[in-house]
Amino acid sequence: MLYIPCPWCGEREELEFHYHDEGHIVRPDVSVGDGEWSSYLYERENVEGWQRDLWSHDAGCRRYFYVLRHSVTDEIGGAYKVGEKLPPLPVEAEREMGS
Amino acid sequence: MSGHFSGLRLAYESLRGHTGWGRQWGSSELGDEYDVVIVGGGGHGLATAYYLASECDVGRIAVLEKGWLGGGNTARNTTIVRSNYLWDKSLALYDHAVKMWEGLSRELNYNVMFSQRGVLHVAHDEGDIRLSRRRCNSIRAAGVDSEWLSPEEVKELVPIINLHGRFPIMGGVFQPRGGVARHDAVAWGYARAASGLGVDIIENCEVTGFDVKRGKVVGLETSRGKVKAKKVGLVVAGHSSRLAELAGFRLPLMMNTLQALVSEPVKPMLSTVVMSNGVHGYMSQSDKGELVIGGGTDLPVSYSRRGGEGWFSSTTASIVELFPCIRRMRVLRMWGGTVDVTKDRSPILGKTPVENLYVNCGWGTGGFKATPGSGHLFAHSISRGEMVEKAAPFGMERFREGCLVDEGAASGVAH
Ligand SMILES: Cc1cc2nc3c(=O)[nH]c(=O)nc-3n(C[C@H](O)[C@H](O)[C@H](O)COP(=O)(O)OP(=O)(O)OC[C@H]3O[C@@H](n4cnc5c(N)ncnc54)[C@H](O)[C@@H]3O)c2cc1C
Ligand SMILES: [Zn+2]
């Protein structure tokens, strides 16, 4: 079970949340060609490592927000609100130093 | 090496203490140059190599596998085989595979334990019935076996099912030619047969880069050094996005975890495969007696091969609703695999922006059933340099052109 830190409600169990997609996917203008449009609709980064997810807290505040999650180790590196300045991705070295 | 398997050979070996079986496939060193290199030694990659060697005249062939043969999703799946899809393009693709399954043990001289015990999809409400019957009829119209069963007929086929649970069973679509097969045997059988035809199979050999000259692939970088290749087939399932990125293009895929579990083994209690798209769960019984249980995918992009706990509770809750008698059984094992899912839930077979680099992926939650057909069509397509008829609708360009083969709506459950 992942523990996800909702920026509004604090840390809760994964079951309360819904994963939507990779974060920060920007919808292009409708005037773009089929290539760019289909890439927006269908292609994903599928990062093997730290990535920014879009989640919503369905069984709580029902807000959307972003989560830093490691796609191989399942670690959670924090969460931030929509519109907030992007926090940097946690890097391996920081984790090893511990806190 | 291992020689031909037969009853006579078995008798002979049993008299001399089974000392003469030998290795089933050769272990090769990576050569300098091949006519075709297949990346990925799962069922699909090995089948491709086998049909390239047995039916296409292409010269030297190698399979490069970063781990061990069949250790990816081939080893992790619940082995359901069926071809009762909604659209004609899918029916042609998957039924090609089912027909090949029917003769596969003989073709490979290796028992893949294909057991046509049937696959039943149950329907739970009026809407479900309408969709299921429509699917059943269109499958029949395409000449593939499919039968509508009344609740009584469902009960007769599956005595342990509960017709009157929270989501009552109001009928079902049955494909008698569907069933299950032995996953490892499929990888090993193809590896043995391909190796027997001179294919180099190289394990512990990870592809780490592509040598692309003027838009054309000419070789590969691997953890065992460089190799030249005239044509390359990418058959790496859950690692397809990673390798496409190395080759300089993107694929319309999402990488998700799909989980499954088996119970402790018990005496025979279920003689077919039962699936419910309505409650998202399915179950069969393995030859060892374990109940094999699966359900939907976990949503986040993941390579962890460990899923969330929520999947376990919701899947087992649905399955226990259908089969209350297993409520107190214990779970023996639970695992996950990284599945490469497309938005229309159909695979990708085709060319790529890099010339002479072909891709076979996107089978997602349901590609085991297609293993022989996928390998067969992909081999002929690579050899010709053009996709053969049954594979042609599945190129990645369908996403740009809007020509999807939308099985997503037709079968909302993992299989
Ligand atoms: C839990 C679960 C249940 C499933 N149930 C069913 C089912 O009931 N019926 C069904 O039809 N399908 C099912 N599937 C789907 C099915 O398992 C897959 O679609 C199918 O096995 C894919 O086979 P493959 O050979 O393409 O991939 P894999 O078997 O995953 O093979 C790909 C290989 O590529 C190798 N590779 C990756 N990267 C590299 C690299 N850089 N260099 C070299 N090699 C590399 C990997 O190590 C791997 O061995 C299920 C999947 C899962 C996870
Ligand atoms: Zn919240």
Side-chain angles (χ1 to χ4, degrees):
Chain A
M1 177 85 69
L2 301 179
Y3 289 98
I4 295 179
C6 172
W8 308 92
C9 314
E11 190 173 273
R12 300 286 180 83
E13 290 183 354
E14 182 187 351
L15 293 179
E16 293 189 11
F17 298 88
H18 183 77
Y19 171 90
H20 289 272
D21 208 335
E22 295 179 356
H24 306 289
I25 292 173
V26 181
R27 178 179 166 151
D29 189 83
V30 285
S31 62
V32 299
D34 290 347
E36 206 175 315
W37 188 253
S38 76
S39 133
Y40 155 69
L41 285 180
Y42 303 117
E43 289 169 9
R44 293 296 177 263
E45 298 292 332
N46 295 307
V47 175
E48 200 168 352
W50 284 105
Q51 71 160 42
R52 299 169 191 276
D53 297 342
L54 179 67
W55 290 74
S56 61
H57 192 184
D58 285 10
C61 62
R62 304 189 58 82
R63 288 181 207 254
Y64 284 83
F65 59 95
Y66 297 111
V67 177
L68 296 172
R69 183 180 56 91
H70 196 287
S71 66
V72 182
T73 63
D74 278 343
E75 281 165 278
I76 300 285
Y80 53 100
K81 297 175 187 168
V82 174
E84 236 170 43
K85 189 164 162 274
L86 299 197
L89 294 176
V91 279
E92 243 49 59
E94 281 171 10
R95 227 176 337 120
E96 269 161 25
M97 283 190 301
S99 59
Chain B
M1 227 183 349
S2 70
H4 193 80
F5 291 137
S6 65
L8 209 61
R9 175 102 191 275
L10 184 62
Y12 175 65
E13 285 299 337
S14 66
L15 291 177
R16 44 178 219 153
H18 295 286
T19 50
W21 292 114
R23 292 177 68 102
Q24 296 302 303
W25 58 84
S27 68
S28 329
E29 286 302 313
L30 182 65
D32 296 328
E33 185 167 5
Y34 293 94
D35 294 282
V36 184
V37 172
I38 299 299
V39 186
H44 289 236
L46 292 164
T48 307
Y50 168 73
Y51 294 111
L52 276 168
S54 65
E55 297 186 9
C56 312
D57 189 16
V58 293
R60 290 198 67 193
I61 305 161
V63 177
L64 311 185
E65 164 55 51
K66 78 168 178 173
W68 61 95
L69 296 187
N73 290 343
T74 300
R76 293 158 196 274
N77 82 94
T78 48
T79 78
I80 297 170
V81 175
R82 61 185 184 87
S83 61
N84 51 357
Y85 283 74
L86 180 63
W87 303 108
D88 288 352
K89 292 166 183 171
S90 321
L91 279 161
L93 179 69
Y94 289 100
D95 210 52
H96 182 60
V98 170
K99 287 191 185 119
M100 294 185 73
W101 277 111
E102 287 169 340
L104 194 59
S105 293
R106 189 170 293 260
E107 158 99 25
L108 298 179
N109 178 232
Y110 203 89
N111 188 1
V112 298
M113 298 167 78
F114 182 45
S115 155
Q116 291 179 294
R117 59 185 68 180
V119 175
L120 172 71
H121 286 81
V122 291
H124 297 283
D125 58 39
E126 293 292 340
D128 212 351
I129 290 180
R130 270 198 298 277
L131 280 176
S132 304
R133 294 199 82 141
R134 174 193 173 212
R135 190 157 67 91
C136 185
N137 292 338
S138 68
I139 293 161
R140 287 176 76 109
V144 173
D145 59 322
S146 184
E147 293 166 17
W148 174 257
L149 304 189
S150 67
E152 296 69 39
E153 288 166 325
V154 167
K155 186 74 183 172
E156 202 176 317
L157 183 66
V158 188
I160 60 167
I161 208 163
N162 174 22
L163 294 181
H164 311 290
R166 183 162 160 204
F167 302 101
I169 289 168
M170 302 179 68
V173 181
F174 187 55
Q175 181 176 28
R177 283 162 66 240
V180 291
R182 173 76 201 161
H183 48 87
D184 291 328
V186 175
W188 299 339
Y190 274 118
R192 171 174 172 272
S195 173
L197 293 172
V199 171
D200 281 358
I201 295 175
I202 300 139
E203 293 174 87
N204 298 309
C205 179
E206 178 171 358
V207 170
T208 52
F210 294 83
D211 189 0
V212 179
K213 294 232 158 68
R214 286 199 214 97
K216 228 184 221 172
V217 67
V218 293
L220 297 166
E221 285 154 32
T222 81
S223 54
R224 292 179 173 244
K226 290 189 177 188
V227 57
K228 288 195 191 121
K230 296 202 178 109
K231 292 179 177 180
V232 176
L234 218 55
V235 200
V236 293
H239 289 85
S240 300
S241 283
R242 295 272 59 78
L243 280 157
E245 186 181 301
L246 290 175
F249 61 95
R250 305 213 311 173
L251 286 165
L253 294 173
M254 297 162 293
M255 299 303 165
N256 299 131
T257 300
L258 179 63
Q259 307 188 65
L261 62 91
V262 291
S263 73
E264 57 192 326
V266 288
K267 291 204 168 151
M269 62 192 289
L270 179 61
S271 64
T272 187
V273 181
V274 180
M275 315 183 68
S276 164
N277 293 351
V279 301
H280 261 269
Y282 61 84
M283 185 165 100
S284 67
Q285 187 169 20
S286 75
D287 293 334
K288 284 184 283 184
E290 300 154 342
L291 298 173
V292 183
I293 294 171
T297 45
D298 286 38
L299 294 175
V301 167
S302 175
Y303 295 89
S304 69
R305 293 172 169 189
R306 269 186 317 247
E309 200 279 331
W311 178 88
F312 176 77
S313 12
S314 65
T315 304
T316 50
S318 320
I319 288 294
V320 163
E321 256 319 300
L322 291 176
F323 306 105
C325 63
I326 69 166
R327 189 174 296 269
R328 301 186 60 186
M329 280 177 64
R330 280 167 293 200
V331 172
L332 194 64
R333 243 182 358 264
M334 187 173 153
W335 65 91
T338 306
V339 291
D340 45 336
V341 182
T342 58
K343 284 278 185 199
D344 64 358
R345 298 297 186 277
S346 287
I348 297 174
L349 279 157
K351 297 185 178 184
T352 69
V354 179
E355 216 176 312
N356 295 341
L357 177 61
Y358 302 84
V359 69
N360 180 346
C361 66
W363 292 97
T365 60
F368 177 72
K369 62 175 69 64
T371 306
S374 154
H376 186 244
L377 298 174
F378 197 49
H380 283 274
S381 301
I382 291 178
S383 138
R384 273 205 227 165
E386 280 305 323
M387 290 298 123
V388 296
E389 193 190 333
K390 286 181 180 134
F394 296 95
M396 63 197 249
E397 60 283 353
R398 74 175 184 272
F399 292 95
R400 194 181 57 233
E401 293 163 359
C403 195
L404 305 184
V405 187
D406 195 356
E407 289 294 340
S411 58
V413 82
H415 39 78

